[in-house]
Amino acid sequence: MPVHGGRPVPHRAGADPSEPPLMVLDPPGVSRAAVFLATVSFDDLWSRAGAEVRGGGWDEAQAREKFPDHHRGLRGFSGRAAAAGHAVVKVVWA
């Protein structure tokens, strides 16, 4: 699979919608993501996009309780991947 530097890999015509498109972050893209996640707090992200990420039928309190753990995990994963010079495949569900 080719690396697309952070651009989504679109579905082909007639693709099964349960097979989400992929985004491949090349190593420089992973480094940029790691720097961003290391410098932005969960509270800043939540204040800007919290209402948009509260999927799955969760109310705000449930989501606000669960997502800090995801943010810490993503921050750690991105930092380790960047330090190792790895690319990352991200599945994007819309």
Side-chain angles (χ1 to χ4, degrees):
M1 174 188 251
V3 173
H4 293 280
R7 292 178 287 134
V9 178
H11 278 168
R12 65 189 182 286
D16 181 349
S18 69
E19 296 176 5
L22 303 175
M23 177 176 285
V24 179
L25 292 176
D26 57 12
V30 173
S31 291
R32 287 189 299 274
V35 167
F36 171 76
L37 288 168
T39 59
V40 67
S41 73
F42 173 79
D43 290 330
D44 287 342
L45 290 174
W46 187 260
S47 70
R48 293 180 184 172
E52 295 176 31
V53 297
R54 279 195 342 242
W58 293 347
D59 65 25
E60 184 172 356
Q62 289 172 315
R64 183 71 174 87
E65 181 180 317
K66 187 70 173 170
F67 280 101
D69 289 339
H70 294 305
H71 178 67
R72 279 189 292 279
L74 184 58
R75 180 183 282 180
F77 172 80
S78 296
R80 290 187 304 275
H86 290 173
V88 171
V89 177
K90 175 182 172 182
V91 179
V92 181
W93 284 278

